[in-house]
Structure formats: structure tokens, C-alpha cells
Amino acid sequence: MKASHEAENQFHRDAIAGLRREYDQTRDKLAVLLDLRLDKSITQDEYDKKARDLKGRQNEIALRIEQHQEGEGEYRATLESLIYVASRAADIFERSKTEQKRELIAFVISNLRLRGKKREYSLRSPFDLLVNRADHTSWLADMDSN
């Protein structure tokens, strides 16, 4: 999960860096466009149309930067909620009504079937990662940290 979180953060950082470069390039194009207009190399209509397009693009880029910045926080909040729910799953299940128990099972498990007296199922992502890595030593790396 830590690696996944870091990969998500890196994705957002890279996307933001690329968008900022594009924003700066658009700003530079606007400056060149203004110089062309001041030199009377282009008409006022040409300037207005192109300036409007470039400013619109800048607004789109700024919005996408904002979305990536918000995405970093949303991913962390989702991950924290997932860990909290997973750590309290047994308590939540025991205190739930029958319909809520069914919803919780459906949320965590897929392909549930009974073969004779044996249950067979698949865990949905990311719960499969939690179970499949439970015996992995990376879970124990910071045991003495608290």
C-alpha cells in the first residue's frame, strides 16, 4: 500500500510538472502574440482570437493542475479509510444487521460459492493484497516504531 501510495503521488507530481511546463509555454506564446500585435504584424481580430484560445487553454491547464493536487489528498483519505475499515471489519460485521453483513461480504468477496461443505471465493482488490501479503516481512518492518 505504501508503494502504491508513493506511485500515485509520483503520478500526480509528474502530471503537475508537465502541466506547469505546458502552462508556461502557453504564457510564453501569449507574450509572443502580444509582441506581434504591438509590432502590428497581426490584426486586432487575429490577436483576440488567438489570445482567447491560449487563455482558454491556460484555464484548462490550471483546472487540471488543481484536480491533480486534489487527487493526491483524495487518494490518501481513501487509503486511510480502507485501512480503518479493514482493521475493524470483524467488529463492524458482528454489530451489523443481516442486510449490512451481506453488503459487507459482497464488498470484500466475489465469486462466492459452496462446493459440498467447502467455501470457495475470491477477494476483491485491494483486500486480496492485504490477505496475500499478511505473512510478508515488509508488514513487520516498523514493529518497534510505536
Side-chain angles (χ1 to χ4, degrees):
M1 287 183 162
K2 193 184 269 187
S4 174
H5 180 63
E6 182 54 38
E8 178 76 11
N9 283 340
Q10 187 62 47
F11 166 75
H12 287 295
R13 283 192 300 267
D14 291 347
I16 289 169
L19 289 166
R20 285 188 175 144
R21 279 191 301 275
E22 187 177 351
Y23 186 92
D24 291 344
Q25 290 170 348
T26 305
R27 182 197 58 218
D28 294 344
K29 288 178 183 180
L30 275 166
V32 169
L33 184 65
L34 179 59
D35 289 341
L36 290 171
R37 178 62 195 132
L38 292 173
D39 292 340
K40 298 189 190 298
S41 299
I42 59 173
T43 67
Q44 184 66 43
D45 287 342
E46 291 171 320
Y47 171 81
D48 290 343
K49 181 183 180 313
K50 191 64 177 175
R52 190 173 37 254
D53 291 346
L54 290 171
K55 288 177 184 176
R57 182 65 188 143
Q58 274 187 317
N59 289 335
E60 290 172 17
I61 294 167
L63 178 63
R64 288 182 58 202
I65 288 171
E66 186 177 319
Q67 289 170 338
H68 277 285
Q69 289 169 335
E70 290 172 1
E72 288 178 301
E74 288 174 9
Y75 184 80
R76 181 177 177 85
T78 301
L79 189 57
E80 288 172 355
S81 296
L82 172 67
I83 291 170
Y84 176 76
V85 169
S87 69
R88 297 201 57 241
D91 290 337
I92 293 169
F93 188 82
E94 288 297 322
R95 294 181 184 165
S96 298
K97 295 180 180 176
T98 303
E99 184 57 34
Q100 292 167 326
K101 287 180 180 181
R102 282 189 188 117
E103 290 175 9
L104 184 59
I105 289 170
F107 182 67
V108 175
I109 295 174
S110 67
N111 302 324
L112 180 61
R113 57 192 164 278
L114 190 60
R115 289 199 186 197
K117 292 186 178 185
K118 186 177 178 189
R119 290 181 309 247
E120 293 181 357
Y121 60 90
S122 301
L123 293 172
R124 294 184 191 277
S125 182
F127 301 105
D128 58 340
L129 296 175
L130 293 171
V131 171
N132 292 335
R133 295 197 34 115
D135 62 344
H136 198 277
T137 56
S138 67
W139 285 92
L140 306 174
D142 295 331
M143 278 185 67
D144 295 331
S145 66
N146 292 332

